[in-house]
Amino acid sequence: MLKLYNTLTKRKEIFKPIKKKGVGIYECGPTVYLYQHIGNLRRYIFGDVLTKVLIYNKYKVKRIMNVTDVGHLTSDADTGEDKIEKAAKKEGKSAKEIADYYLRIFKNDFKKLNIFNPTKWTKATEHIKEQIELIKKLEKKGFTYKTSDGIYFDTSKFKNYGKFAKLNVKRLKAGKRVSIKEKKNTTDFALWKFSDVSNSEKRQQEWKSPWGIGFPGWHIECSAMSMKYLGEKFDIHTGGMDHIPIHHTNEIAQSQAATGKKFVNYWIHGAFLISKGEKISKSKGGLYTIS
């Protein structure tokens, strides 16, 4: 009998897969603009241990891991620069060169740590069509609206938004991390961002869409790719605990709004790696790598 702590229910539960001996796992992967530090890699060790425990228990595991190579902006409020584009400018390379280089390093870290590769690596840039189709489905169901900089998900239309992370949505106010601008609600998030035509520096990565030229928001990629490879409802979704209040909360909202079904049965999160009383993070400069 295998028990897992489920962030969704806030308790340990006996694991019961949807299919008798098959398990579908979606694991939030890296944004490939820089080296992954040991705090990042601690989370992938946790995902690897989970996978190996399931295999040991005779389950056939299908594990999908995304590679964010577009759309992850420097601010949680859907503002700032695209992290890949910013790194490309800084290093004088193309966005693709940046993404491919840091993904190669990441895969080498997996080898050094004896972490199993996922069943499939899925790049956001290779699933633009699926992301657009999902946004169209949300638009048809009345969950979206347009601003001058993109297409947004209206969180007020989704019942129990924020319940997953125990967010007090009414008390959330615009502040340093969240700028409301044209958004209807502080918690609304971008599904599709328009390219900034006023900026003389053209984006390297942009696509045509029914709403205008631009690129997908960070959250939509995970819903589109997980559902493509694992189905509209699957067993396990993993990630870091920092994903709970925004990224995973938004994934649940957009996925369940689109399908009308429960998205994932077990949400399992890895904790931070702590050094000198603080979490190790890129923003704090504690960039200890495996090498």
Side-chain angles (χ1 to χ4, degrees):
M1 186 172 66
L2 178 63
K3 284 187 177 181
L4 301 172
Y5 181 83
N6 190 352
T7 308
L8 189 66
T9 58
K10 316 292 186 287
R11 64 174 186 263
K12 286 182 186 176
E13 297 179 345
I14 295 169
F15 177 62
K16 293 176 182 174
I18 295 166
K19 294 176 184 173
K20 196 173 180 183
K21 275 295 174 184
V23 179
I25 302 179
Y26 185 83
E27 187 162 355
C28 274
T31 301
V32 280
Y33 71 102
L34 197 59
Y35 302 102
Q36 299 298 305
H37 57 67
I38 57 174
N40 300 135
L41 288 158
R42 176 194 192 277
R43 182 163 65 76
Y44 296 108
I45 291 170
F46 134 69
D48 185 60
V49 170
L50 172 65
T51 301
K52 286 168 179 169
V53 165
L54 289 164
I55 292 168
Y56 178 79
N57 280 275
K58 306 286 192 293
Y59 289 108
K60 187 176 181 183
V61 178
K62 184 177 183 181
R63 180 164 149 251
I64 304 299
M65 188 178 292
N66 70 301
V67 177
T68 301
D69 54 354
V70 70
H72 195 168
L73 305 186
T74 50
S75 164
D76 288 334
D78 296 312
T79 58
E81 282 189 85
D82 185 309
K83 291 182 179 183
I84 304 288
E85 301 259 342
K86 187 178 178 183
K89 273 189 261 179
K90 185 181 174 183
E91 297 190 30
K93 295 176 181 174
S94 72
K96 189 177 187 308
E97 284 172 334
I98 288 290
D100 288 348
Y101 174 76
Y102 288 110
L103 178 58
R104 193 162 60 246
I105 300 289
F106 182 66
K107 288 180 177 180
N108 284 337
D109 288 340
F110 266 35
K111 281 182 189 171
K112 291 173 187 176
L113 291 166
N114 193 30
I115 294 174
F116 284 176
N117 279 320
T119 311
K120 188 171 182 66
W121 299 93
T122 58
K123 290 184 177 181
T125 53
E126 293 174 359
H127 295 82
I128 300 298
K129 180 186 163 193
E130 288 82 359
Q131 293 170 77
I132 288 172
E133 287 304 312
L134 186 53
I135 298 166
K136 280 163 72 176
K137 194 178 281 190
L138 289 166
E139 182 180 51
K140 194 175 178 183
K141 292 194 172 189
F143 285 98
T144 70
Y145 63 91
K146 186 177 181 180
T147 71
S148 61
D149 77 336
I151 303 298
Y152 281 79
F153 184 94
D154 187 343
T155 54
S156 68
K157 298 271 184 79
F158 183 75
K159 193 181 176 185
N160 294 326
Y161 177 84
K163 184 181 177 183
F164 178 67
K166 292 185 175 178
L167 295 178
N168 188 331
V169 176
K170 288 180 182 176
R171 284 191 185 175
L172 282 175
K173 292 180 181 177
K176 286 182 182 176
R177 285 169 66 85
V178 182
S179 172
I180 198 155
K181 290 187 179 177
E182 296 172 58
K183 295 199 291 188
K184 291 181 180 180
N185 311 286
T186 310
T187 49
D188 294 352
F189 55 93
L191 299 165
W192 187 264
K193 291 280 283 184
F194 301 136
S195 294
D196 185 358
V197 290
S198 66
N199 193 335
S200 58
E201 288 188 74
K202 186 176 160 66
R203 276 186 62 91
Q204 291 188 39
Q205 301 191 111
E206 58 183 15
W207 295 266
K208 289 179 182 177
S209 80
W211 314 282
I213 293 172
F215 57 98
W218 177 38
H219 314 297
I220 199 72
E221 65 168 284
C222 287
S223 292
M225 296 192 296
S226 63
M227 289 196 283
K228 175 173 181 173
Y229 295 105
L230 298 172
E232 290 182 347
K233 181 181 178 181
F234 55 93
D235 297 296
I236 299 172
H237 196 312
T238 73
M241 61 191 292
D242 51 326
H243 286 148
I244 296 170
I246 298 175
H247 185 49
H248 288 169
T249 290
N250 292 346
E251 262 193 81
I252 290 169
Q254 66 197 8
S255 302
Q256 294 185 182
T259 67
K261 300 175 186 174
K262 183 180 180 181
F263 180 39
V264 176
N265 282 345
Y266 301 86
W267 288 84
I268 308 177
H269 292 91
F272 298 129
L273 182 62
I274 305 298
S275 174
K276 297 170 187 172
E278 289 191 321
K279 72 163 184 168
I280 291 175
S281 68
K282 293 184 183 79
S283 60
K284 288 187 167 60
L287 195 63
Y288 302 105
T289 64
I290 291 301
S291 58

